[in-house]
């Protein structure tokens, strides 16, 4: 049995927004997977991916406390290079910033896969399915009752350049 990690909708405010997904690619009734809902608001203002991972661990009955989960998350802060350039690792390597504050930036699927792997019991396994079409994700997984995390842009808006920093390699 595999747990498939795709990439998590941020800022869901209601149970219906986070648990109810109508698959526009299949006929019939939408799939409803009874994953426990926890709003990130007032808890982890920039930790949507961590709260979503917590919900999935709760679904599978293997969640630690939210504090322990955040403590286990690979995290990194910004630093300055000698020339004054802002620098940090890639969001593929660590959560950049602090999810307990409004100043965290977040992370990508590989970080959450590693986090989930610390807590999922055998034979469950987190798998990064980045790049898979929404049609394939819904048809192959959520329509089969398998929950998935899906990263999107906030409010499903187009991407745009915003904060940037020099990427540090694994040696700093």
């Amino acid at each position: 049995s595999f747990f498939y990690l795709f990439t998590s909708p941020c800022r869901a405010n209601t149970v219906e927004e986070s648990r109810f997904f109508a698959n526009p690619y299949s006929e019939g009734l939408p799939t409803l997977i009874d994953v426990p809902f926890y709003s990130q608001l007032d808890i982890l203002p920039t930790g949507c991916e961590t709260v979503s991972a917590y919900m999935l661990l709760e679904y599978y009955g293997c969640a630690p406390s939210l504090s322990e989960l955040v403590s286990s998350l690979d995290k990194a802060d910004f630093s300055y290079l000698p020339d004054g350039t802002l620098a940090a690792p890639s969001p593929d390597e660590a959560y950049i910033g602090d999810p307990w504050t409004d100043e965290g930036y977040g992370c990508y699927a590989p970080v959450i896969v590693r986090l989930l792997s610390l807590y999922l019991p055998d034979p469950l396994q987190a798998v990064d399915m980045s790049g898979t079409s929404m049609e394939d994700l819904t048809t192959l997984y959520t329509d089969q009752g398998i929950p998935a995390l899906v990263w999107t842009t906030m409010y499903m808006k187009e991407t745009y350049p915003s904060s940037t920093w020099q990427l540090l390699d694994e040696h700093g």
Side-chain angles (χ1 to χ4, degrees):
S1 191
F2 285 90
F3 165 78
Y4 292 90
L5 173 71
F6 311 115
T7 59
S8 105
C10 293
R11 311 277 184 192
N13 294 310
T14 67
V15 172
E16 289 74 25
E17 286 178 32
S18 68
R19 289 174 36 181
F20 190 73
F21 180 75
N23 180 357
Y25 306 106
S26 66
E27 296 179 20
L29 296 173
T31 301
L32 179 63
I33 302 172
D34 194 20
V35 175
F37 174 76
Y38 299 95
S39 174
Q40 80 179 77
L41 303 176
D42 300 321
I43 301 171
L44 293 174
T46 55
C48 58
E49 58 279 272
T50 308
V51 172
S52 297
Y54 181 74
M55 289 188 275
L56 285 170
L57 291 171
E58 281 279 321
Y59 174 82
Y60 285 109
C62 56
S65 69
L66 187 57
S67 293
E68 180 182 335
L69 191 66
V70 173
S71 293
S72 299
L73 181 66
D74 292 333
K75 294 181 284 302
D77 289 319
F78 289 105
S79 60
Y80 288 93
L81 299 177
D83 67 1
T85 302
L86 187 63
S90 165
D92 281 320
E93 297 172 21
Y95 181 97
I96 308 302
D98 182 354
W100 296 106
T101 71
D102 288 328
E103 289 146 27
Y105 282 83
C107 62
Y108 296 150
V111 177
I112 300 300
V113 166
R114 287 193 306 273
L115 180 66
L116 288 169
S117 296
L118 296 173
Y119 297 99
L120 287 171
D122 288 333
L124 297 175
Q125 181 179 354
V127 177
D128 181 351
M129 301 290 291
S130 295
T132 304
S133 73
M134 189 60 80
E135 180 178 8
D136 286 346
L137 295 178
T138 56
T139 302
L140 297 172
Y141 304 110
T142 57
D143 281 354
Q144 307 306 313
I146 301 169
L149 291 177
V150 179
W151 264 252
T152 66
T153 58
M154 202 179 294
Y155 309 111
M156 302 296 287
K157 302 237 180 205
E158 291 294 319
T159 60
Y160 59 91
S162 61
S163 301
T164 60
W165 60 87
Q166 175 69 42
L167 294 180
L168 296 174
D169 65 18
E170 59 192 43
H171 305 293

